[in-house]
mmCIF file of all heavy atoms in Angstrom:
data_model
loop_
_atom_site.group_PDB
_atom_site.id
_atom_site.type_symbol
_atom_site.label_atom_id
_atom_site.label_comp_id
_atom_site.label_asym_id
_atom_site.label_seq_id
_atom_site.Cartn_x
_atom_site.Cartn_y
_atom_site.Cartn_z
ATOM 1 N N ARG B 207 -10.665 68.703 -5.151
ATOM 2 C CA ARG B 207 -11.299 69.939 -5.602
ATOM 3 C C ARG B 207 -12.821 69.791 -5.504
ATOM 4 O O ARG B 207 -13.395 68.839 -6.004
ATOM 5 C CB ARG B 207 -10.891 70.195 -7.037
ATOM 6 C CG ARG B 207 -11.038 71.598 -7.507
ATOM 7 C CD ARG B 207 -10.125 71.822 -8.684
ATOM 8 N NE ARG B 207 -8.742 71.824 -8.251
ATOM 9 C CZ ARG B 207 -8.136 72.885 -7.736
ATOM 10 N NH1 ARG B 207 -8.786 74.039 -7.602
ATOM 11 N NH2 ARG B 207 -6.881 72.810 -7.362
ATOM 12 N N THR B 209 -15.574 71.284 -6.806
ATOM 13 C CA THR B 209 -16.482 71.226 -7.964
ATOM 14 C C THR B 209 -16.261 69.972 -8.799
ATOM 15 O O THR B 209 -17.214 69.346 -9.260
ATOM 16 C CB THR B 209 -16.335 72.473 -8.847
ATOM 17 O OG1 THR B 209 -14.955 72.634 -9.192
ATOM 18 C CG2 THR B 209 -16.831 73.709 -8.136
ATOM 19 N N SER B 210 -15.008 69.606 -8.974
ATOM 20 C CA SER B 210 -14.727 68.409 -9.768
ATOM 21 C C SER B 210 -15.240 67.160 -9.058
ATOM 22 O O SER B 210 -15.800 66.265 -9.689
ATOM 23 C CB SER B 210 -13.220 68.262 -9.999
ATOM 24 O OG SER B 210 -12.732 69.380 -10.697
ATOM 25 N N ARG B 213 -19.086 67.051 -9.418
ATOM 26 C CA ARG B 213 -19.507 66.681 -10.771
ATOM 27 C C ARG B 213 -19.261 65.194 -11.039
ATOM 28 O O ARG B 213 -20.100 64.488 -11.585
ATOM 29 C CB ARG B 213 -18.749 67.526 -11.792
ATOM 30 C CG ARG B 213 -19.112 67.232 -13.232
ATOM 31 C CD ARG B 213 -18.390 68.168 -14.178
ATOM 32 N NE ARG B 213 -16.989 68.297 -13.815
ATOM 33 C CZ ARG B 213 -16.178 69.227 -14.301
ATOM 34 N NH1 ARG B 213 -16.636 70.129 -15.157
ATOM 35 N NH2 ARG B 213 -14.914 69.277 -13.942
ATOM 36 N N LYS B 214 -18.096 64.745 -10.604
ATOM 37 C CA LYS B 214 -17.726 63.345 -10.822
ATOM 38 C C LYS B 214 -18.689 62.382 -10.116
ATOM 39 O O LYS B 214 -19.195 61.437 -10.715
ATOM 40 C CB LYS B 214 -16.309 63.128 -10.291
ATOM 41 C CG LYS B 214 -15.763 61.746 -10.536
ATOM 42 C CD LYS B 214 -15.147 61.653 -11.897
ATOM 43 C CE LYS B 214 -14.584 60.264 -12.155
ATOM 44 N NZ LYS B 214 -13.925 60.201 -13.445
ATOM 45 N N LYS B 226 -33.318 68.678 1.416
ATOM 46 C CA LYS B 226 -32.178 69.484 1.874
ATOM 47 C C LYS B 226 -31.972 69.308 3.373
ATOM 48 O O LYS B 226 -32.862 68.898 4.115
ATOM 49 C CB LYS B 226 -32.427 70.957 1.572
ATOM 50 C CG LYS B 226 -32.388 71.286 0.095
ATOM 51 C CD LYS B 226 -32.498 72.788 -0.100
ATOM 52 C CE LYS B 226 -32.276 73.149 -1.567
ATOM 53 N NZ LYS B 226 -32.208 74.624 -1.731
ATOM 54 N N PHE B 228 -31.163 71.368 6.648
ATOM 55 C CA PHE B 228 -31.077 72.703 7.238
ATOM 56 C C PHE B 228 -30.359 72.615 8.573
ATOM 57 O O PHE B 228 -30.879 72.068 9.534
ATOM 58 C CB PHE B 228 -32.477 73.291 7.423
ATOM 59 C CG PHE B 228 -33.211 73.418 6.124
ATOM 60 C CD1 PHE B 228 -34.101 72.436 5.709
ATOM 61 C CD2 PHE B 228 -32.994 74.511 5.296
ATOM 62 C CE1 PHE B 228 -34.766 72.536 4.505
ATOM 63 C CE2 PHE B 228 -33.666 74.626 4.089
ATOM 64 C CZ PHE B 228 -34.552 73.631 3.687
ATOM 65 N N GLY B 230 -29.038 75.267 10.228
ATOM 66 C CA GLY B 230 -29.076 76.495 11.001
ATOM 67 C C GLY B 230 -27.977 77.469 10.607
ATOM 68 O O GLY B 230 -27.930 78.586 11.102
ATOM 69 N N GLY B 231 -27.103 77.047 9.726
ATOM 70 C CA GLY B 231 -26.033 77.923 9.270
ATOM 71 C C GLY B 231 -26.570 79.028 8.365
ATOM 72 O O GLY B 231 -27.592 78.843 7.699
ATOM 73 N N ALA B 232 -25.866 80.130 8.333
ATOM 74 C CA ALA B 232 -26.321 81.282 7.537
ATOM 75 C C ALA B 232 -25.867 81.147 6.101
ATOM 76 O O ALA B 232 -25.028 81.914 5.613
ATOM 77 C CB ALA B 232 -25.781 82.572 8.175
ATOM 78 N N HIS B 233 -26.386 80.144 5.441
ATOM 79 C CA HIS B 233 -25.961 79.899 4.058
ATOM 80 C C HIS B 233 -26.896 78.892 3.407
ATOM 81 O O HIS B 233 -27.726 78.257 4.066
ATOM 82 C CB HIS B 233 -24.535 79.366 4.037
ATOM 83 C CG HIS B 233 -24.327 78.198 4.974
ATOM 84 N ND1 HIS B 233 -24.775 76.947 4.694
ATOM 85 C CD2 HIS B 233 -23.780 78.131 6.209
ATOM 86 C CE1 HIS B 233 -24.492 76.130 5.696
ATOM 87 N NE2 HIS B 233 -23.885 76.838 6.636
ATOM 88 N N LYS B 234 -26.731 78.733 2.121
ATOM 89 C CA LYS B 234 -27.539 77.785 1.354
ATOM 90 C C LYS B 234 -27.444 76.377 1.956
ATOM 91 O O LYS B 234 -26.369 75.928 2.341
ATOM 92 C CB LYS B 234 -27.020 77.763 -0.086
ATOM 93 C CG LYS B 234 -27.843 76.943 -1.041
ATOM 94 C CD LYS B 234 -27.345 77.191 -2.465
ATOM 95 C CE LYS B 234 -28.084 76.355 -3.471
ATOM 96 N NZ LYS B 234 -27.631 76.667 -4.852
ATOM 97 N N ALA B 235 -28.579 75.705 2.008
ATOM 98 C CA ALA B 235 -28.586 74.357 2.591
ATOM 99 C C ALA B 235 -28.211 73.305 1.547
ATOM 100 O O ALA B 235 -28.694 73.359 0.414
ATOM 101 C CB ALA B 235 -29.974 74.048 3.158
ATOM 102 P P DT C 30 -17.031 61.132 -20.915
ATOM 103 O OP1 DT C 30 -17.151 59.742 -20.439
ATOM 104 O OP2 DT C 30 -18.182 62.057 -20.870
ATOM 105 O "O5'" DT C 30 -15.838 61.807 -20.121
ATOM 106 C "C5'" DT C 30 -14.533 61.225 -20.220
ATOM 107 C "C4'" DT C 30 -13.549 62.092 -19.476
ATOM 108 O "O4'" DT C 30 -13.347 63.327 -20.196
ATOM 109 C "C3'" DT C 30 -13.989 62.490 -18.065
ATOM 110 O "O3'" DT C 30 -12.961 62.093 -17.185
ATOM 111 C "C2'" DT C 30 -14.161 64.008 -18.137
ATOM 112 C "C1'" DT C 30 -13.196 64.369 -19.261
ATOM 113 N N1 DT C 30 -13.464 65.631 -20.006
ATOM 114 C C2 DT C 30 -12.457 66.568 -20.100
ATOM 115 O O2 DT C 30 -11.369 66.433 -19.575
ATOM 116 N N3 DT C 30 -12.777 67.685 -20.832
ATOM 117 C C4 DT C 30 -13.980 67.949 -21.467
ATOM 118 O O4 DT C 30 -14.143 68.986 -22.094
ATOM 119 C C5 DT C 30 -14.988 66.929 -21.335
ATOM 120 C C7 DT C 30 -16.319 67.110 -21.980
ATOM 121 C C6 DT C 30 -14.691 65.832 -20.620
ATOM 122 P P DT C 31 -13.043 62.413 -15.621
ATOM 123 O OP1 DT C 31 -12.302 61.347 -14.932
ATOM 124 O OP2 DT C 31 -14.439 62.714 -15.260
ATOM 125 O "O5'" DT C 31 -12.202 63.754 -15.480
ATOM 126 C "C5'" DT C 31 -10.815 63.725 -15.777
ATOM 127 C "C4'" DT C 31 -10.217 65.096 -15.540
ATOM 128 O "O4'" DT C 31 -10.804 66.031 -16.471
ATOM 129 C "C3'" DT C 31 -10.461 65.668 -14.142
ATOM 130 O "O3'" DT C 31 -9.207 66.057 -13.614
ATOM 131 C "C2'" DT C 31 -11.419 66.839 -14.382
ATOM 132 C "C1'" DT C 31 -11.061 67.239 -15.803
ATOM 133 N N1 DT C 31 -12.134 67.915 -16.593
ATOM 134 C C2 DT C 31 -11.827 69.096 -17.224
ATOM 135 O O2 DT C 31 -10.728 69.620 -17.150
ATOM 136 N N3 DT C 31 -12.860 69.643 -17.954
ATOM 137 C C4 DT C 31 -14.129 69.132 -18.114
ATOM 138 O O4 DT C 31 -14.956 69.721 -18.802
ATOM 139 C C5 DT C 31 -14.389 67.890 -17.426
ATOM 140 C C7 DT C 31 -15.743 67.263 -17.529
ATOM 141 C C6 DT C 31 -13.383 67.347 -16.709
ATOM 142 P P DG C 32 -9.087 66.908 -12.271
ATOM 143 O OP1 DG C 32 -7.844 66.489 -11.615
ATOM 144 O OP2 DG C 32 -10.363 66.881 -11.538
ATOM 145 O "O5'" DG C 32 -8.867 68.371 -12.852
ATOM 146 C "C5'" DG C 32 -7.697 68.653 -13.628
ATOM 147 C "C4'" DG C 32 -7.477 70.149 -13.743
ATOM 148 O "O4'" DG C 32 -8.534 70.730 -14.558
ATOM 149 C "C3'" DG C 32 -7.501 70.911 -12.417
ATOM 150 O "O3'" DG C 32 -6.536 71.952 -12.506
ATOM 151 C "C2'" DG C 32 -8.938 71.450 -12.352
ATOM 152 C "C1'" DG C 32 -9.241 71.722 -13.822
ATOM 153 N N9 DG C 32 -10.642 71.583 -14.236
ATOM 154 C C8 DG C 32 -11.490 70.546 -13.975
ATOM 155 N N7 DG C 32 -12.667 70.689 -14.526
ATOM 156 C C5 DG C 32 -12.590 71.897 -15.193
ATOM 157 C C6 DG C 32 -13.563 72.577 -15.972
ATOM 158 O O6 DG C 32 -14.719 72.239 -16.247
ATOM 159 N N1 DG C 32 -13.073 73.791 -16.473
ATOM 160 C C2 DG C 32 -11.805 74.271 -16.248
ATOM 161 N N2 DG C 32 -11.505 75.432 -16.791
ATOM 162 N N3 DG C 32 -10.885 73.634 -15.520
ATOM 163 C C4 DG C 32 -11.352 72.470 -15.031
ATOM 164 P P DT C 33 -6.320 72.964 -11.293
ATOM 165 O OP1 DT C 33 -4.944 73.485 -11.401
ATOM 166 O OP2 DT C 33 -6.764 72.295 -10.042
ATOM 167 O "O5'" DT C 33 -7.308 74.154 -11.612
ATOM 168 C "C5'" DT C 33 -7.229 74.791 -12.890
ATOM 169 C "C4'" DT C 33 -8.136 76.009 -12.928
ATOM 170 O "O4'" DT C 33 -9.457 75.609 -13.374
ATOM 171 C "C3'" DT C 33 -8.333 76.728 -11.588
ATOM 172 O "O3'" DT C 33 -7.923 78.066 -11.745
ATOM 173 C "C2'" DT C 33 -9.828 76.569 -11.284
ATOM 174 C "C1'" DT C 33 -10.416 76.345 -12.669
ATOM 175 N N1 DT C 33 -11.676 75.540 -12.737
ATOM 176 C C2 DT C 33 -12.698 75.985 -13.553
ATOM 177 O O2 DT C 33 -12.626 77.008 -14.209
ATOM 178 N N3 DT C 33 -13.803 75.175 -13.557
ATOM 179 C C4 DT C 33 -14.005 74.007 -12.846
ATOM 180 O O4 DT C 33 -15.041 73.380 -12.947
ATOM 181 C C5 DT C 33 -12.892 73.603 -12.028
ATOM 182 C C7 DT C 33 -12.992 72.352 -11.218
ATOM 183 C C6 DT C 33 -11.788 74.374 -11.998
ATOM 184 P P DT C 34 -8.020 79.142 -10.571
ATOM 185 O OP1 DT C 34 -6.844 80.016 -10.680
ATOM 186 O OP2 DT C 34 -8.324 78.439 -9.302
ATOM 187 O "O5'" DT C 34 -9.306 79.975 -10.992
ATOM 188 C "C5'" DT C 34 -9.474 80.339 -12.368
ATOM 189 C "C4'" DT C 34 -10.859 80.902 -12.579
ATOM 190 O "O4'" DT C 34 -11.830 79.835 -12.658
ATOM 191 C "C3'" DT C 34 -11.353 81.854 -11.482
ATOM 192 O "O3'" DT C 34 -11.607 83.119 -12.064
ATOM 193 C "C2'" DT C 34 -12.604 81.173 -10.919
ATOM 194 C "C1'" DT C 34 -13.031 80.277 -12.070
ATOM 195 N N1 DT C 34 -13.805 79.058 -11.671
ATOM 196 C C2 DT C 34 -14.994 78.804 -12.308
ATOM 197 O O2 DT C 34 -15.462 79.508 -13.170
ATOM 198 N N3 DT C 34 -15.634 77.657 -11.877
ATOM 199 C C4 DT C 34 -15.194 76.778 -10.884
ATOM 200 O O4 DT C 34 -15.858 75.795 -10.597
ATOM 201 C C5 DT C 34 -13.933 77.122 -10.271
ATOM 202 C C7 DT C 34 -13.376 76.242 -9.201
ATOM 203 C C6 DT C 34 -13.307 78.224 -10.675
ATOM 204 P P DA C 35 -12.226 84.301 -11.231
ATOM 205 O OP1 DA C 35 -11.694 85.543 -11.830
ATOM 206 O OP2 DA C 35 -12.076 84.042 -9.785
ATOM 207 O "O5'" DA C 35 -13.767 84.183 -11.612
ATOM 208 C "C5'" DA C 35 -14.136 83.847 -12.951
ATOM 209 C "C4'" DA C 35 -15.652 83.781 -13.052
ATOM 210 O "O4'" DA C 35 -16.105 82.463 -12.634
ATOM 211 C "C3'" DA C 35 -16.391 84.792 -12.179
ATOM 212 O "O3'" DA C 35 -17.405 85.398 -12.956
ATOM 213 C "C2'" DA C 35 -16.957 83.946 -11.032
ATOM 214 C "C1'" DA C 35 -17.164 82.597 -11.702
ATOM 215 N N9 DA C 35 -17.085 81.441 -10.804
ATOM 216 C C8 DA C 35 -16.116 81.164 -9.876
ATOM 217 N N7 DA C 35 -16.318 80.047 -9.214
ATOM 218 C C5 DA C 35 -17.493 79.554 -9.754
ATOM 219 C C6 DA C 35 -18.239 78.389 -9.478
ATOM 220 N N6 DA C 35 -17.873 77.477 -8.561
ATOM 221 N N1 DA C 35 -19.360 78.193 -10.192
ATOM 222 C C2 DA C 35 -19.716 79.101 -11.108
ATOM 223 N N3 DA C 35 -19.100 80.230 -11.448
ATOM 224 C C4 DA C 35 -17.982 80.389 -10.725
ATOM 225 P P DC C 36 -18.200 86.678 -12.382
ATOM 226 O OP1 DC C 36 -18.418 87.572 -13.534
ATOM 227 O OP2 DC C 36 -17.533 87.155 -11.148
ATOM 228 O "O5'" DC C 36 -19.591 86.049 -11.968
ATOM 229 C "C5'" DC C 36 -20.241 85.157 -12.874
ATOM 230 C "C4'" DC C 36 -21.430 84.522 -12.173
ATOM 231 O "O4'" DC C 36 -21.002 83.349 -11.443
ATOM 232 C "C3'" DC C 36 -22.106 85.442 -11.142
ATOM 233 O "O3'" DC C 36 -23.500 85.328 -11.270
ATOM 234 C "C2'" DC C 36 -21.630 84.869 -9.817
ATOM 235 C "C1'" DC C 36 -21.616 83.390 -10.173
ATOM 236 N N1 DC C 36 -20.861 82.524 -9.239
ATOM 237 C C2 DC C 36 -21.365 81.247 -8.951
ATOM 238 O O2 DC C 36 -22.399 80.881 -9.494
ATOM 239 N N3 DC C 36 -20.700 80.457 -8.074
ATOM 240 C C4 DC C 36 -19.573 80.899 -7.507
ATOM 241 N N4 DC C 36 -18.951 80.084 -6.660
ATOM 242 C C5 DC C 36 -19.042 82.196 -7.778
ATOM 243 C C6 DC C 36 -19.712 82.963 -8.641
ATOM 244 P P DA C 37 -24.470 86.533 -10.918
ATOM 245 O OP1 DA C 37 -24.304 87.522 -11.993
ATOM 246 O OP2 DA C 37 -24.263 86.929 -9.505
ATOM 247 O "O5'" DA C 37 -25.933 85.883 -11.037
ATOM 248 C "C5'" DA C 37 -26.133 84.760 -11.913
ATOM 249 C "C4'" DA C 37 -26.825 83.641 -11.152
ATOM 250 O "O4'" DA C 37 -25.864 82.979 -10.291
ATOM 251 C "C3'" DA C 37 -27.960 84.105 -10.230
ATOM 252 O "O3'" DA C 37 -29.018 83.177 -10.341
ATOM 253 C "C2'" DA C 37 -27.326 84.109 -8.848
ATOM 254 C "C1'" DA C 37 -26.375 82.932 -8.962
ATOM 255 N N9 DA C 37 -25.224 82.959 -8.058
ATOM 256 C C8 DA C 37 -24.356 83.989 -7.833
ATOM 257 N N7 DA C 37 -23.406 83.704 -6.970
ATOM 258 C C5 DA C 37 -23.674 82.399 -6.608
ATOM 259 C C6 DA C 37 -23.029 81.512 -5.720
ATOM 260 N N6 DA C 37 -21.940 81.825 -5.020
ATOM 261 N N1 DA C 37 -23.553 80.285 -5.592
ATOM 262 C C2 DA C 37 -24.651 79.968 -6.291
ATOM 263 N N3 DA C 37 -25.341 80.711 -7.151
ATOM 264 C C4 DA C 37 -24.791 81.926 -7.268
ATOM 265 P P DA C 38 -30.395 83.378 -9.568
ATOM 266 O OP1 DA C 38 -31.463 82.939 -10.486
ATOM 267 O OP2 DA C 38 -30.409 84.735 -8.984
ATOM 268 O "O5'" DA C 38 -30.311 82.328 -8.365
ATOM 269 C "C5'" DA C 38 -30.224 80.944 -8.665
ATOM 270 C "C4'" DA C 38 -30.263 80.166 -7.354
ATOM 271 O "O4'" DA C 38 -29.000 80.338 -6.662
ATOM 272 C "C3'" DA C 38 -31.351 80.627 -6.381
ATOM 273 O "O3'" DA C 38 -31.930 79.480 -5.767
ATOM 274 C "C2'" DA C 38 -30.588 81.479 -5.377
ATOM 275 C "C1'" DA C 38 -29.244 80.764 -5.342
ATOM 276 N N9 DA C 38 -28.108 81.607 -4.943
ATOM 277 C C8 DA C 38 -27.831 82.881 -5.351
ATOM 278 N N7 DA C 38 -26.725 83.384 -4.833
ATOM 279 C C5 DA C 38 -26.250 82.364 -4.031
ATOM 280 C C6 DA C 38 -25.117 82.261 -3.202
ATOM 281 N N6 DA C 38 -24.213 83.240 -3.045
ATOM 282 N N1 DA C 38 -24.927 81.110 -2.533
ATOM 283 C C2 DA C 38 -25.817 80.127 -2.687
ATOM 284 N N3 DA C 38 -26.931 80.103 -3.432
ATOM 285 C C4 DA C 38 -27.077 81.260 -4.083
ATOM 286 P P DT C 39 -33.301 79.523 -5.025
ATOM 287 O OP1 DT C 39 -33.574 78.188 -4.439
ATOM 288 O OP2 DT C 39 -34.243 80.126 -5.959
ATOM 289 O "O5'" DT C 39 -33.069 80.607 -3.869
ATOM 290 C "C5'" DT C 39 -33.254 80.263 -2.488
ATOM 291 C "C4'" DT C 39 -32.077 79.425 -1.961
ATOM 292 O "O4'" DT C 39 -30.835 80.111 -2.227
ATOM 293 C "C3'" DT C 39 -32.143 79.214 -0.468
ATOM 294 O "O3'" DT C 39 -31.801 77.866 -0.175
ATOM 295 C "C2'" DT C 39 -31.105 80.164 0.095
ATOM 296 C "C1'" DT C 39 -30.084 80.177 -1.035
ATOM 297 N N1 DT C 39 -29.231 81.393 -1.083
ATOM 298 C C2 DT C 39 -28.050 81.389 -0.396
ATOM 299 O O2 DT C 39 -27.665 80.448 0.260
ATOM 300 N N3 DT C 39 -27.311 82.551 -0.509
ATOM 301 C C4 DT C 39 -27.643 83.673 -1.235
ATOM 302 O O4 DT C 39 -26.897 84.634 -1.255
ATOM 303 C C5 DT C 39 -28.910 83.610 -1.934
ATOM 304 C C7 DT C 39 -29.350 84.774 -2.746
ATOM 305 C C6 DT C 39 -29.636 82.484 -1.834
ATOM 306 P P DA C 40 -32.627 76.961 0.732
ATOM 307 O OP1 DA C 40 -32.449 75.590 0.261
ATOM 308 O OP2 DA C 40 -33.988 77.528 0.871
ATOM 309 O "O5'" DA C 40 -31.857 77.144 2.102
ATOM 310 C "C5'" DA C 40 -32.457 77.883 3.134
ATOM 311 C "C4'" DA C 40 -31.490 77.895 4.285
ATOM 312 O "O4'" DA C 40 -30.418 78.838 3.999
ATOM 313 C "C3'" DA C 40 -32.134 78.379 5.562
ATOM 314 O "O3'" DA C 40 -31.483 77.770 6.648
ATOM 315 C "C2'" DA C 40 -31.902 79.883 5.516
ATOM 316 C "C1'" DA C 40 -30.551 80.003 4.801
ATOM 317 N N9 DA C 40 -30.425 81.159 3.918
ATOM 318 C C8 DA C 40 -31.345 81.626 3.018
ATOM 319 N N7 DA C 40 -30.930 82.685 2.339
ATOM 320 C C5 DA C 40 -29.656 82.909 2.828
ATOM 321 C C6 DA C 40 -28.684 83.874 2.523
ATOM 322 N N6 DA C 40 -28.854 84.837 1.607
ATOM 323 N N1 DA C 40 -27.515 83.817 3.198
ATOM 324 C C2 DA C 40 -27.344 82.852 4.104
ATOM 325 N N3 DA C 40 -28.169 81.877 4.477
ATOM 326 C C4 DA C 40 -29.330 81.975 3.791
ATOM 327 P P DA C 41 -32.228 77.694 7.994
ATOM 328 O OP1 DA C 41 -31.764 76.490 8.693
ATOM 329 O OP2 DA C 41 -33.677 77.886 7.756
ATOM 330 O "O5'" DA C 41 -31.703 78.981 8.753
ATOM 331 C "C5'" DA C 41 -30.466 78.884 9.444
ATOM 332 C "C4'" DA C 41 -29.861 80.258 9.580
ATOM 333 O "O4'" DA C 41 -29.921 80.972 8.341
ATOM 334 C "C3'" DA C 41 -30.579 81.149 10.601
ATOM 335 O "O3'" DA C 41 -29.738 81.294 11.726
ATOM 336 C "C2'" DA C 41 -30.781 82.487 9.882
ATOM 337 C "C1'" DA C 41 -29.893 82.345 8.657
ATOM 338 N N9 DA C 41 -30.364 83.081 7.498
ATOM 339 C C8 DA C 41 -31.524 82.913 6.794
ATOM 340 N N7 DA C 41 -31.671 83.746 5.790
ATOM 341 C C5 DA C 41 -30.514 84.528 5.844
ATOM 342 C C6 DA C 41 -30.063 85.600 5.056
ATOM 343 N N6 DA C 41 -30.750 86.075 4.022
ATOM 344 N N1 DA C 41 -28.869 86.152 5.382
ATOM 345 C C2 DA C 41 -28.192 85.652 6.422
ATOM 346 N N3 DA C 41 -28.516 84.647 7.235
ATOM 347 C C4 DA C 41 -29.707 84.136 6.890
ATOM 348 P P DT C 42 -30.209 82.100 12.974
ATOM 349 O OP1 DT C 42 -29.728 81.374 14.146
ATOM 350 O OP2 DT C 42 -31.637 82.415 12.799
ATOM 351 O "O5'" DT C 42 -29.425 83.493 12.861
ATOM 352 C "C5'" DT C 42 -28.112 83.491 12.344
ATOM 353 C "C4'" DT C 42 -27.617 84.909 12.177
ATOM 354 O "O4'" DT C 42 -28.026 85.418 10.875
ATOM 355 C "C3'" DT C 42 -28.158 85.913 13.198
ATOM 356 O "O3'" DT C 42 -27.094 86.731 13.654
ATOM 357 C "C2'" DT C 42 -29.189 86.716 12.422
ATOM 358 C "C1'" DT C 42 -28.602 86.679 11.019
ATOM 359 N N1 DT C 42 -29.599 86.842 9.915
ATOM 360 C C2 DT C 42 -29.355 87.758 8.933
ATOM 361 O O2 DT C 42 -28.375 88.465 8.897
ATOM 362 N N3 DT C 42 -30.328 87.817 7.956
ATOM 363 C C4 DT C 42 -31.485 87.054 7.888
ATOM 364 O O4 DT C 42 -32.274 87.199 6.971
ATOM 365 C C5 DT C 42 -31.681 86.120 8.954
ATOM 366 C C7 DT C 42 -32.893 85.254 8.982
ATOM 367 C C6 DT C 42 -30.732 86.045 9.917
#
Side-chain angles (χ1 to χ4, degrees):
Chain B
R207 200 158 290 277
T209 53
S210 299
R213 180 176 45 193
K214 184 85 180 183
K226 290 186 173 187
F228 300 96
H233 51 75
K234 186 171 177 177

